[in-house]
Amino acid sequence: MINFNIAQWRAWAPGLESVDDWQAWSRQPVVPPVSDAAPDVSFLPAMQRRRLSRLARMAFSVAWPLAEGRPDLPLVFISRHGETPRTFEILKDLAADQPLSPTQFSLSVHNAVIGLWSIMRGETSEMTALAATGDGLEHGMLEAAALLNEGTPAVLLVITEEQPPSVYAPWVDDVPFPYAVGLLLTRGDDWQLQLSSPTKPLPGSDWPHALDLLRTLLGNQLTCQHAWKNRLWTWQRNR
């Protein structure tokens, strides 16, 4: 079991940007219309913005405000599928015997987002990029808790998923729409997360774990549970 506080949060998805937007969604969650919209990252210079995919823009849009005024803030970045659209374009070029772009390749790797974050913010604190399964959020929380236990005052956790290309639809069905959630975590006992092993398989969540947790935060619920394979994660709000 781990204990922590969620000091602040931010989230973004197409058509869901403000707290009021997410509050309405949490009361009646639906898949928003398909959109090519991307978050506003005008706080970055134009030259830097051009390098960012929508996945990276989503991550920056929720993380940057949470990191303001907090130098040396460790970052835990989580994405199960990562830069799948960018990787797919590279694979298409390979199949067509086209030359590959070194820049596109370097930006397609899983830790590209935290590399760009480090460069653009001049940040040299510890950063981790995780590619876990359906309970990547919880694995990221374990990583963040370890940093807090080592004495770090706060940790920034960001989880984001992009809509994979349609060709992946038979295999990837856990991204109902593009989204990003950022959590500023601090030491404390407001929340606890506990892992258990149920004796029989449990149904999974209707929504990705990060969005389900967001509904819990907005609804002032005391608990929520996330099941994945033989793991059951219980989130408990203590105040």
Side-chain angles (χ1 to χ4, degrees):
M1 183 176 66
I2 59 174
N3 296 281
F4 53 91
N5 289 352
I6 301 177
Q8 297 179 59
W9 66 268
R10 289 184 69 93
W12 187 93
L16 300 170
E17 303 187 29
S18 68
V19 174
D20 288 343
D21 291 338
W22 283 106
Q23 189 77 62
W25 182 86
S26 70
R27 290 192 293 265
Q28 190 174 4
V30 295
V31 176
V34 176
S35 171
D36 293 329
D40 178 18
V41 288
S42 57
F43 49 81
L44 296 174
M47 183 76 71
Q48 296 176 340
R49 291 199 302 268
R50 283 198 290 269
R51 304 186 67 191
L52 301 181
S53 66
R54 182 164 68 169
L55 179 90
R57 287 172 179 252
M58 289 192 293
F60 273 66
S61 72
V62 300
W64 199 276
L66 297 178
E68 283 299 283
R70 291 180 175 271
D72 304 320
L73 180 64
L75 170 65
V76 178
F77 171 76
I78 309 150
S79 182
R80 184 178 186 182
H81 303 291
E83 294 278 9
T84 307
R86 197 190 291 268
T87 304
F88 184 62
E89 292 302 313
I90 294 174
L91 293 174
K92 284 169 44 178
D93 287 342
L94 275 174
D97 291 326
Q98 296 297 313
L100 301 184
S101 164
T103 299
Q104 290 298 324
F105 175 77
S106 68
L107 295 175
S108 72
V109 298
H110 199 70
N111 61 354
V113 170
I114 62 173
L116 291 168
W117 177 265
S118 175
I119 293 169
M120 295 183 189
R121 291 192 63 86
E123 183 65 74
T124 58
S125 58
E126 183 168 347
M127 301 179 199
T128 304
L130 299 179
T133 54
D135 51 356
L137 170 64
E138 285 79 14
H139 285 91
M141 284 299 313
L142 294 178
E143 183 74 21
L147 292 167
L148 292 173
N149 287 339
E150 290 177 357
T152 300
V155 177
L156 181 57
L157 183 148
V158 176
I159 181 166
T160 183
E161 296 291 352
E162 174 62 283
Q163 195 88 56
S166 59
V167 69
Y168 291 106
W171 303 279
V172 179
D173 61 358
D174 61 329
V175 186
F177 54 88
Y179 66 89
V181 176
L183 303 175
L184 181 63
L185 306 169
T186 58
R187 283 174 280 177
D189 299 312
D190 287 359
W191 286 84
Q192 67 184 38
L193 176 62
Q194 186 169 6
L195 172 64
S196 59
S197 298
T199 56
K200 60 181 181 180
L202 297 174
S205 303
D206 293 334
W207 299 97
H209 289 192
L211 298 181
D212 207 30
L213 175 63
L214 192 57
R215 293 183 66 201
T216 302
L217 283 167
L218 289 167
N220 293 319
Q221 301 166 20
L222 295 181
T223 62
C224 69
Q225 289 188 317
H226 294 153
W228 183 258
K229 296 185 177 180
N230 63 339
R231 300 185 290 273
L232 177 63
W233 302 92
T234 300
W235 295 74
Q236 174 73 44
R237 192 202 304 256
N238 297 322
R239 63 173 69 180

